[in-house]
């Protein structure tokens, strides 16, 4: 995964692949794999391999969250969300006090150990359609 960050920083403009290499993409982020605009994750879908770490980077002026949909992660996978919450309900409740907020310029990462599809969203911008998917392949 270090190679991915180096190539993204150099502006290689790689597309997400099943090999787990992602880069700047249309989100314009050189700080991670998935950028956050005012109301979107870019790219909205990223494909990685089991054991890969995905890094989200808030490159907008708004606060965001990266929050897994509890019913949209593979069986046996650990729940994940900015703020370290262990359930979607806990993450949503904590957001009322802006706990778990990812401010402009900050990153969040999660390592994916179970293959499958993971749906996630940004709590304050979910209604605007700020949702994403991580596809984890063997």
């Amino acid at each position: 995964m270090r190679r991915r960050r180096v190539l993204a920083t150099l502006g290689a403009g790689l597309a997400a692949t099943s090999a787990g290499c992602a880069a700047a993409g249309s989100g314009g982020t050189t700080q991670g794999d998935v950028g956050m605009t005012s109301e979107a994750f870019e790219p909205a879908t990223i494909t990685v391999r089991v054991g890969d770490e995905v890094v989200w980077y808030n490159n907008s002026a708004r606060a965001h969250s990266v929050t897994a949909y509890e019913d949209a992660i593979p069986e046996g996978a650990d729940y994940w969300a900015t703020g370290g919450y262990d359930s979607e309900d806990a993450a949503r409740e904590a957001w009322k006090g802006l706990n778990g907020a990812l401010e402009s310029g900050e990153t969040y990462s999660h390592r994916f150990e179970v293959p499958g599809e993971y749906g996630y969203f940004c709590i304050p911008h979910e209604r605007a359609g700020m949702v994403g998917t991580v596809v984890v392949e063997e």
Side-chain angles (χ1 to χ4, degrees), residues 18-136:
S18 62
C21 292
S26 61
T29 176
T30 59
Q31 304 296 322
D33 306 308
V34 179
M36 294 178 228
T37 65
S38 61
E39 294 179 344
F41 292 108
E42 292 186 4
T45 300
I46 185 170
T47 301
V48 298
R49 289 187 175 175
V50 169
D52 282 351
E53 178 180 69
V54 175
V55 178
W56 286 264
Y57 176 69
N58 185 353
N59 52 347
S60 80
R62 295 181 172 190
H64 293 291
S65 78
V66 180
T67 310
Y69 282 114
E70 204 160 354
D71 63 351
I73 62 175
E75 187 173 328
D78 291 333
Y79 183 80
W80 48 277
T82 50
Y85 301 101
D86 59 4
S87 72
E88 184 179 335
D89 286 341
R92 287 182 186 276
E93 183 63 30
W95 185 264
K96 293 176 185 175
L98 290 181
N99 295 317
L102 194 64
E103 300 295 337
S104 182
E106 293 182 331
T107 62
Y108 170 76
S109 64
H110 180 75
R111 186 169 308 280
F112 292 87
E113 302 293 348
V114 176
E117 240 179 66
Y118 295 74
Y120 68 94
F121 65 104
C122 172
I123 293 171
H125 303 112
E126 178 182 23
R127 288 184 182 172
M130 191 168 181
V131 298
T133 305
V134 176
V135 177
V136 181

